[in-house]
mmCIF file of all heavy atoms in Angstrom:
data_model
loop_
_atom_site.group_PDB
_atom_site.id
_atom_site.type_symbol
_atom_site.label_atom_id
_atom_site.label_comp_id
_atom_site.label_asym_id
_atom_site.label_seq_id
_atom_site.Cartn_x
_atom_site.Cartn_y
_atom_site.Cartn_z
ATOM 1 N N ARG P 27 9.607 145.108 223.973
ATOM 2 C CA ARG P 27 8.682 145.004 225.106
ATOM 3 C C ARG P 27 7.848 143.734 225.007
ATOM 4 O O ARG P 27 7.598 143.061 226.024
ATOM 5 C CB ARG P 27 7.777 146.238 225.161
ATOM 6 C CG ARG P 27 8.485 147.502 225.624
ATOM 7 C CD ARG P 27 7.502 148.571 226.043
ATOM 8 N NE ARG P 27 6.721 149.085 224.930
ATOM 9 C CZ ARG P 27 7.093 150.117 224.183
ATOM 10 N NH1 ARG P 27 8.249 150.737 224.430
ATOM 11 N NH2 ARG P 27 6.312 150.542 223.199
ATOM 12 N N LYS P 28 7.405 143.412 223.796
ATOM 13 C CA LYS P 28 6.624 142.192 223.621
ATOM 14 C C LYS P 28 7.443 140.950 223.959
ATOM 15 O O LYS P 28 6.913 139.960 224.480
ATOM 16 C CB LYS P 28 6.121 142.093 222.175
ATOM 17 C CG LYS P 28 5.022 143.088 221.830
ATOM 18 C CD LYS P 28 4.499 142.850 220.412
ATOM 19 C CE LYS P 28 3.326 143.761 220.091
ATOM 20 N NZ LYS P 28 2.721 143.481 218.776
ATOM 21 N N LEU P 29 8.742 141.003 223.665
ATOM 22 C CA LEU P 29 9.613 139.859 223.919
ATOM 23 C C LEU P 29 10.150 139.834 225.349
ATOM 24 O O LEU P 29 10.654 138.803 225.799
ATOM 25 C CB LEU P 29 10.795 139.884 222.940
ATOM 26 C CG LEU P 29 10.443 139.740 221.458
ATOM 27 C CD1 LEU P 29 11.691 139.919 220.600
ATOM 28 C CD2 LEU P 29 9.788 138.392 221.174
ATOM 29 N N GLY P 30 10.086 140.982 226.021
ATOM 30 C CA GLY P 30 10.568 141.061 227.403
ATOM 31 C C GLY P 30 12.071 141.063 227.533
ATOM 32 O O GLY P 30 12.613 140.502 228.494
ATOM 33 N N ILE P 31 12.749 141.718 226.577
ATOM 34 C CA ILE P 31 14.205 141.768 226.628
ATOM 35 C C ILE P 31 14.683 143.199 226.438
ATOM 36 O O ILE P 31 13.916 144.082 226.059
ATOM 37 C CB ILE P 31 14.845 140.864 225.553
ATOM 38 C CG1 ILE P 31 14.441 141.331 224.153
ATOM 39 C CG2 ILE P 31 14.474 139.412 225.769
ATOM 40 C CD1 ILE P 31 15.199 140.637 223.055
ATOM 41 N N SER P 32 15.966 143.415 226.682
ATOM 42 C CA SER P 32 16.563 144.738 226.546
ATOM 43 C C SER P 32 17.130 144.917 225.139
ATOM 44 O O SER P 32 17.388 143.936 224.431
ATOM 45 C CB SER P 32 17.680 144.921 227.572
ATOM 46 O OG SER P 32 18.754 144.030 227.289
ATOM 47 N N PRO P 33 17.343 146.160 224.702
ATOM 48 C CA PRO P 33 17.906 146.392 223.369
ATOM 49 C C PRO P 33 19.232 145.697 223.139
ATOM 50 O O PRO P 33 19.516 145.228 222.021
ATOM 51 C CB PRO P 33 18.051 147.916 223.314
ATOM 52 C CG PRO P 33 17.016 148.435 224.251
ATOM 53 C CD PRO P 33 16.973 147.432 225.368
ATOM 54 N N GLU P 34 20.067 145.623 224.173
ATOM 55 C CA GLU P 34 21.390 145.021 224.024
ATOM 56 C C GLU P 34 21.319 143.518 223.759
ATOM 57 O O GLU P 34 22.318 142.909 223.363
ATOM 58 C CB GLU P 34 22.227 145.259 225.289
ATOM 59 C CG GLU P 34 22.526 146.711 225.575
ATOM 60 C CD GLU P 34 21.348 147.452 226.218
ATOM 61 O OE1 GLU P 34 20.394 146.773 226.674
ATOM 62 O OE2 GLU P 34 21.383 148.696 226.251
ATOM 63 N N GLU P 35 20.144 142.947 223.959
ATOM 64 C CA GLU P 35 19.978 141.511 223.772
ATOM 65 C C GLU P 35 19.349 141.161 222.420
ATOM 66 O O GLU P 35 18.955 140.020 222.197
ATOM 67 C CB GLU P 35 19.106 140.946 224.889
ATOM 68 C CG GLU P 35 19.743 141.069 226.260
ATOM 69 C CD GLU P 35 18.800 140.661 227.382
ATOM 70 O OE1 GLU P 35 17.624 141.093 227.376
ATOM 71 O OE2 GLU P 35 19.255 139.904 228.277
ATOM 72 N N ALA P 36 19.280 142.157 221.516
ATOM 73 C CA ALA P 36 18.616 141.923 220.235
ATOM 74 C C ALA P 36 19.445 142.451 219.076
ATOM 75 O O ALA P 36 20.252 143.376 219.227
ATOM 76 C CB ALA P 36 17.238 142.579 220.222
ATOM 77 N N ILE P 37 19.224 141.866 217.922
ATOM 78 C CA ILE P 37 19.818 142.355 216.686
ATOM 79 C C ILE P 37 18.698 142.572 215.681
ATOM 80 O O ILE P 37 17.803 141.742 215.543
ATOM 81 C CB ILE P 37 20.875 141.370 216.131
ATOM 82 C CG1 ILE P 37 21.546 141.960 214.876
ATOM 83 C CG2 ILE P 37 20.293 139.991 215.854
ATOM 84 C CD1 ILE P 37 22.790 141.193 214.444
ATOM 85 N N MET P 38 18.715 143.724 215.012
ATOM 86 C CA MET P 38 17.731 144.051 213.989
ATOM 87 C C MET P 38 18.328 143.743 212.626
ATOM 88 O O MET P 38 19.410 144.241 212.279
ATOM 89 C CB MET P 38 17.354 145.532 214.076
ATOM 90 C CG MET P 38 16.422 146.024 212.976
ATOM 91 S SD MET P 38 14.783 145.260 213.069
ATOM 92 C CE MET P 38 14.057 145.811 211.518
ATOM 93 N N VAL P 39 17.620 142.940 211.830
ATOM 94 C CA VAL P 39 18.085 142.536 210.510
ATOM 95 C C VAL P 39 17.147 143.136 209.466
ATOM 96 O O VAL P 39 15.931 142.915 209.517
ATOM 97 C CB VAL P 39 18.104 140.999 210.377
ATOM 98 C CG1 VAL P 39 18.635 140.593 209.004
ATOM 99 C CG2 VAL P 39 18.932 140.370 211.490
ATOM 100 N N GLY P 40 17.697 143.908 208.530
ATOM 101 C CA GLY P 40 16.842 144.551 207.536
ATOM 102 C C GLY P 40 17.547 144.825 206.233
ATOM 103 O O GLY P 40 18.745 144.560 206.094
ATOM 104 N N ASP P 41 16.783 145.385 205.292
ATOM 105 C CA ASP P 41 17.323 145.656 203.961
ATOM 106 C C ASP P 41 17.320 147.134 203.621
ATOM 107 O O ASP P 41 17.714 147.502 202.511
ATOM 108 C CB ASP P 41 16.513 144.913 202.895
ATOM 109 C CG ASP P 41 15.143 145.540 202.670
ATOM 110 O OD1 ASP P 41 14.401 145.714 203.656
ATOM 111 O OD2 ASP P 41 14.817 145.851 201.507
ATOM 112 N N SER P 42 16.867 147.987 204.527
ATOM 113 C CA SER P 42 16.780 149.407 204.214
ATOM 114 C C SER P 42 17.522 150.250 205.240
ATOM 115 O O SER P 42 17.781 149.807 206.372
ATOM 116 C CB SER P 42 15.317 149.867 204.157
ATOM 117 O OG SER P 42 14.781 150.013 205.458
ATOM 118 N N ARG P 43 17.840 151.447 204.824
ATOM 119 C CA ARG P 43 18.455 152.419 205.726
ATOM 120 C C ARG P 43 17.563 152.657 206.945
ATOM 121 O O ARG P 43 18.056 152.796 208.066
ATOM 122 C CB ARG P 43 18.685 153.716 204.958
ATOM 123 C CG ARG P 43 19.376 154.827 205.726
ATOM 124 C CD ARG P 43 19.647 156.011 204.808
ATOM 125 N NE ARG P 43 20.324 157.091 205.500
ATOM 126 C CZ ARG P 43 19.695 158.028 206.206
ATOM 127 N NH1 ARG P 43 18.372 158.028 206.278
ATOM 128 N NH2 ARG P 43 20.383 158.969 206.829
ATOM 129 N N LEU P 44 16.262 152.676 206.719
ATOM 130 C CA LEU P 44 15.325 152.905 207.816
ATOM 131 C C LEU P 44 15.369 151.774 208.830
ATOM 132 O O LEU P 44 15.263 152.014 210.037
ATOM 133 C CB LEU P 44 13.904 153.063 207.264
ATOM 134 C CG LEU P 44 13.666 154.210 206.289
ATOM 135 C CD1 LEU P 44 12.201 154.259 205.870
ATOM 136 C CD2 LEU P 44 14.083 155.547 206.893
ATOM 137 N N ASP P 45 15.516 150.536 208.356
ATOM 138 C CA ASP P 45 15.617 149.393 209.268
ATOM 139 C C ASP P 45 16.834 149.531 210.177
ATOM 140 O O ASP P 45 16.757 149.320 211.393
ATOM 141 C CB ASP P 45 15.748 148.086 208.484
ATOM 142 C CG ASP P 45 14.521 147.756 207.669
ATOM 143 O OD1 ASP P 45 13.410 148.093 208.093
ATOM 144 O OD2 ASP P 45 14.687 147.156 206.588
ATOM 145 N N ILE P 46 17.963 149.844 209.555
ATOM 146 C CA ILE P 46 19.209 149.928 210.322
ATOM 147 C C ILE P 46 19.150 151.067 211.334
ATOM 148 O O ILE P 46 19.530 150.905 212.502
ATOM 149 C CB ILE P 46 20.414 150.106 209.365
ATOM 150 C CG1 ILE P 46 20.500 148.926 208.386
ATOM 151 C CG2 ILE P 46 21.702 150.240 210.172
ATOM 152 C CD1 ILE P 46 20.556 147.556 209.035
ATOM 153 N N LEU P 47 18.638 152.215 210.912
ATOM 154 C CA LEU P 47 18.538 153.344 211.838
ATOM 155 C C LEU P 47 17.546 153.060 212.964
ATOM 156 O O LEU P 47 17.774 153.448 214.111
ATOM 157 C CB LEU P 47 18.125 154.604 211.082
ATOM 158 C CG LEU P 47 19.215 155.230 210.217
ATOM 159 C CD1 LEU P 47 18.639 156.366 209.376
ATOM 160 C CD2 LEU P 47 20.371 155.737 211.073
ATOM 161 N N CYS P 48 16.462 152.379 212.649
ATOM 162 C CA CYS P 48 15.499 152.008 213.680
ATOM 163 C C CYS P 48 16.167 151.145 214.744
ATOM 164 O O CYS P 48 16.008 151.388 215.948
ATOM 165 C CB CYS P 48 14.324 151.264 213.048
ATOM 166 S SG CYS P 48 13.039 150.746 214.202
ATOM 167 N N GLY P 49 16.915 150.139 214.299
ATOM 168 C CA GLY P 49 17.619 149.284 215.245
ATOM 169 C C GLY P 49 18.653 150.039 216.048
ATOM 170 O O GLY P 49 18.746 149.882 217.278
ATOM 171 N N LYS P 50 19.434 150.863 215.372
ATOM 172 C CA LYS P 50 20.462 151.634 216.063
ATOM 173 C C LYS P 50 19.842 152.585 217.085
ATOM 174 O O LYS P 50 20.319 152.708 218.228
ATOM 175 C CB LYS P 50 21.285 152.426 215.050
ATOM 176 C CG LYS P 50 22.338 151.626 214.299
ATOM 177 C CD LYS P 50 23.079 152.517 213.317
ATOM 178 C CE LYS P 50 24.313 151.820 212.774
ATOM 179 N NZ LYS P 50 25.388 151.699 213.767
ATOM 180 N N ASN P 51 18.791 153.276 216.670
ATOM 181 C CA ASN P 51 18.153 154.236 217.559
ATOM 182 C C ASN P 51 17.521 153.574 218.779
ATOM 183 O O ASN P 51 17.369 154.203 219.831
ATOM 184 C CB ASN P 51 17.096 155.036 216.798
ATOM 185 C CG ASN P 51 17.702 155.991 215.787
ATOM 186 O OD1 ASN P 51 18.838 156.440 215.948
ATOM 187 N ND2 ASN P 51 16.966 156.307 214.735
ATOM 188 N N ALA P 52 17.167 152.303 218.625
ATOM 189 C CA ALA P 52 16.607 151.555 219.752
ATOM 190 C C ALA P 52 17.690 150.977 220.657
ATOM 191 O O ALA P 52 17.388 150.491 221.748
ATOM 192 C CB ALA P 52 15.722 150.432 219.233
ATOM 193 N N GLY P 53 18.947 151.008 220.207
ATOM 194 C CA GLY P 53 20.041 150.458 220.993
ATOM 195 C C GLY P 53 20.362 149.015 220.699
ATOM 196 O O GLY P 53 21.073 148.360 221.478
ATOM 197 N N CYS P 54 19.844 148.501 219.572
ATOM 198 C CA CYS P 54 20.105 147.116 219.183
ATOM 199 C C CYS P 54 21.334 147.030 218.285
ATOM 200 O O CYS P 54 21.734 148.007 217.655
ATOM 201 C CB CYS P 54 18.915 146.544 218.410
ATOM 202 S SG CYS P 54 17.344 146.563 219.290
ATOM 203 N N LYS P 55 21.901 145.840 218.195
ATOM 204 C CA LYS P 55 22.856 145.561 217.135
ATOM 205 C C LYS P 55 22.094 145.516 215.816
ATOM 206 O O LYS P 55 20.879 145.300 215.786
ATOM 207 C CB LYS P 55 23.557 144.221 217.373
ATOM 208 C CG LYS P 55 24.547 144.242 218.522
ATOM 209 C CD LYS P 55 25.735 145.122 218.189
ATOM 210 C CE LYS P 55 26.806 145.038 219.264
ATOM 211 N NZ LYS P 55 27.933 145.954 218.967
ATOM 212 N N THR P 56 22.792 145.690 214.712
ATOM 213 C CA THR P 56 22.117 145.724 213.419
ATOM 214 C C THR P 56 22.873 144.897 212.386
ATOM 215 O O THR P 56 24.100 144.788 212.438
ATOM 216 C CB THR P 56 21.986 147.166 212.895
ATOM 217 O OG1 THR P 56 23.288 147.756 212.812
ATOM 218 C CG2 THR P 56 21.099 148.003 213.804
ATOM 219 N N ALA P 57 22.103 144.341 211.444
ATOM 220 C CA ALA P 57 22.695 143.601 210.329
ATOM 221 C C ALA P 57 21.915 143.932 209.065
ATOM 222 O O ALA P 57 20.684 143.866 209.044
ATOM 223 C CB ALA P 57 22.664 142.094 210.588
ATOM 224 N N LEU P 58 22.644 144.299 208.026
ATOM 225 C CA LEU P 58 22.068 144.568 206.719
ATOM 226 C C LEU P 58 22.186 143.317 205.865
ATOM 227 O O LEU P 58 23.246 142.678 205.845
ATOM 228 C CB LEU P 58 22.804 145.720 206.042
ATOM 229 C CG LEU P 58 22.408 146.056 204.601
ATOM 230 C CD1 LEU P 58 21.008 146.652 204.542
ATOM 231 C CD2 LEU P 58 23.432 147.009 203.977
ATOM 232 N N VAL P 59 21.126 142.970 205.137
ATOM 233 C CA VAL P 59 21.217 141.818 204.242
ATOM 234 C C VAL P 59 21.865 142.246 202.935
ATOM 235 O O VAL P 59 21.534 143.286 202.361
ATOM 236 C CB VAL P 59 19.830 141.195 203.990
ATOM 237 C CG1 VAL P 59 19.276 140.597 205.277
ATOM 238 C CG2 VAL P 59 18.841 142.191 203.391
ATOM 239 N N GLY P 60 22.794 141.448 202.476
ATOM 240 C CA GLY P 60 23.566 141.800 201.296
ATOM 241 C C GLY P 60 22.786 141.734 200.006
ATOM 242 O O GLY P 60 23.263 142.210 198.976
ATOM 243 N N TRP P 61 21.568 141.155 200.050
ATOM 244 C CA TRP P 61 20.727 141.091 198.855
ATOM 245 C C TRP P 61 19.791 142.307 198.755
ATOM 246 O O TRP P 61 18.894 142.347 197.916
ATOM 247 C CB TRP P 61 19.914 139.798 198.846
ATOM 248 C CG TRP P 61 19.161 139.491 200.106
ATOM 249 C CD1 TRP P 61 17.882 139.892 200.432
ATOM 250 C CD2 TRP P 61 19.621 138.700 201.201
ATOM 251 N NE1 TRP P 61 17.516 139.401 201.654
ATOM 252 C CE2 TRP P 61 18.574 138.650 202.158
ATOM 253 C CE3 TRP P 61 20.810 138.013 201.474
ATOM 254 C CZ2 TRP P 61 18.683 137.949 203.359
ATOM 255 C CZ3 TRP P 61 20.923 137.332 202.670
ATOM 256 C CH2 TRP P 61 19.874 137.309 203.597
ATOM 257 N N SER P 62 20.019 143.315 199.578
ATOM 258 C CA SER P 62 19.170 144.501 199.559
ATOM 259 C C SER P 62 19.287 145.275 198.247
ATOM 260 O O SER P 62 20.389 145.499 197.748
ATOM 261 C CB SER P 62 19.556 145.436 200.713
ATOM 262 O OG SER P 62 18.920 146.690 200.596
ATOM 263 N N VAL P 63 18.137 145.718 197.720
ATOM 264 C CA VAL P 63 18.144 146.661 196.603
ATOM 265 C C VAL P 63 17.837 148.071 197.097
ATOM 266 O O VAL P 63 18.094 149.045 196.402
ATOM 267 C CB VAL P 63 17.129 146.262 195.510
ATOM 268 C CG1 VAL P 63 17.439 144.885 194.963
ATOM 269 C CG2 VAL P 63 15.691 146.330 196.014
ATOM 270 N N ALA P 64 17.274 148.171 198.298
ATOM 271 C CA ALA P 64 16.924 149.476 198.856
ATOM 272 C C ALA P 64 18.137 150.193 199.443
ATOM 273 O O ALA P 64 18.208 151.425 199.429
ATOM 274 C CB ALA P 64 15.853 149.310 199.938
ATOM 275 N N PHE P 65 19.095 149.420 199.948
ATOM 276 C CA PHE P 65 20.259 149.988 200.635
ATOM 277 C C PHE P 65 21.452 149.080 200.351
ATOM 278 O O PHE P 65 21.904 148.340 201.224
ATOM 279 C CB PHE P 65 19.954 150.055 202.135
ATOM 280 C CG PHE P 65 20.928 150.868 202.949
ATOM 281 C CD1 PHE P 65 21.512 152.028 202.470
ATOM 282 C CD2 PHE P 65 21.213 150.487 204.258
ATOM 283 C CE1 PHE P 65 22.385 152.779 203.242
ATOM 284 C CE2 PHE P 65 22.079 151.230 205.047
ATOM 285 C CZ PHE P 65 22.663 152.376 204.538
ATOM 286 N N PRO P 66 21.954 149.091 199.102
ATOM 287 C CA PRO P 66 23.053 148.193 198.734
ATOM 288 C C PRO P 66 24.236 148.324 199.688
ATOM 289 O O PRO P 66 24.534 149.429 200.159
ATOM 290 C CB PRO P 66 23.414 148.667 197.322
ATOM 291 C CG PRO P 66 22.171 149.304 196.802
ATOM 292 C CD PRO P 66 21.541 149.965 197.996
ATOM 293 N N PRO P 67 24.877 147.214 200.009
ATOM 294 C CA PRO P 67 25.963 147.235 200.995
ATOM 295 C C PRO P 67 27.043 148.274 200.721
ATOM 296 O O PRO P 67 27.578 148.869 201.666
ATOM 297 C CB PRO P 67 26.533 145.814 200.917
ATOM 298 C CG PRO P 67 25.363 144.986 200.513
ATOM 299 C CD PRO P 67 24.579 145.834 199.560
ATOM 300 N N GLU P 68 27.358 148.520 199.445
ATOM 301 C CA GLU P 68 28.418 149.477 199.141
ATOM 302 C C GLU P 68 28.025 150.914 199.484
ATOM 303 O O GLU P 68 28.884 151.797 199.566
ATOM 304 C CB GLU P 68 28.814 149.378 197.665
ATOM 305 C CG GLU P 68 27.724 149.718 196.673
ATOM 306 C CD GLU P 68 26.882 148.523 196.276
ATOM 307 O OE1 GLU P 68 26.904 147.500 196.998
ATOM 308 O OE2 GLU P 68 26.198 148.622 195.239
ATOM 309 N N THR P 69 26.734 151.155 199.712
ATOM 310 C CA THR P 69 26.279 152.498 200.089
ATOM 311 C C THR P 69 26.040 152.632 201.588
ATOM 312 O O THR P 69 25.662 153.706 202.058
ATOM 313 C CB THR P 69 24.972 152.851 199.353
ATOM 314 O OG1 THR P 69 23.895 152.043 199.853
ATOM 315 C CG2 THR P 69 25.119 152.646 197.848
ATOM 316 N N ALA P 70 26.221 151.539 202.321
ATOM 317 C CA ALA P 70 25.878 151.510 203.746
ATOM 318 C C ALA P 70 26.985 152.127 204.600
ATOM 319 O O ALA P 70 27.757 151.428 205.264
ATOM 320 C CB ALA P 70 25.596 150.085 204.192
ATOM 321 N N THR P 71 27.052 153.440 204.558
ATOM 322 C CA THR P 71 28.067 154.164 205.315
ATOM 323 C C THR P 71 27.392 155.245 206.155
ATOM 324 O O THR P 71 26.183 155.431 206.112
ATOM 325 C CB THR P 71 29.090 154.814 204.364
ATOM 326 O OG1 THR P 71 28.391 155.708 203.471
ATOM 327 C CG2 THR P 71 29.809 153.758 203.535
ATOM 328 N N GLY P 72 28.194 155.959 206.902
ATOM 329 C CA GLY P 72 27.664 157.072 207.684
ATOM 330 C C GLY P 72 26.839 156.617 208.868
ATOM 331 O O GLY P 72 27.072 155.546 209.441
ATOM 332 N N GLU P 73 25.850 157.425 209.235
ATOM 333 C CA GLU P 73 25.076 157.144 210.437
ATOM 334 C C GLU P 73 24.295 155.839 210.336
ATOM 335 O O GLU P 73 23.935 155.246 211.355
ATOM 336 C CB GLU P 73 24.115 158.295 210.735
ATOM 337 C CG GLU P 73 23.037 158.493 209.677
ATOM 338 C CD GLU P 73 22.012 159.535 210.063
ATOM 339 O OE1 GLU P 73 22.053 159.988 211.220
ATOM 340 O OE2 GLU P 73 21.180 159.897 209.212
ATOM 341 N N ALA P 74 24.001 155.394 209.125
ATOM 342 C CA ALA P 74 23.239 154.162 208.945
ATOM 343 C C ALA P 74 24.127 152.943 208.702
ATOM 344 O O ALA P 74 23.633 151.891 208.311
ATOM 345 C CB ALA P 74 22.253 154.323 207.791
#
C-alpha cells in the first residue's frame, strides 16, 4: 500500500520461513536467501 502496487508486482526476499509465508500469503513472489541460518535452503519445502 505504501508503494502503491499490487502483490503480483512484488517479490518478498527473506531468510526465514515466516518471511516466505508472509510474502506468499500476501500474493507476492518469494525468494529465500541461500545464506539463511533460520531456514536453510535444504529445509525449504512444503507450504513455505
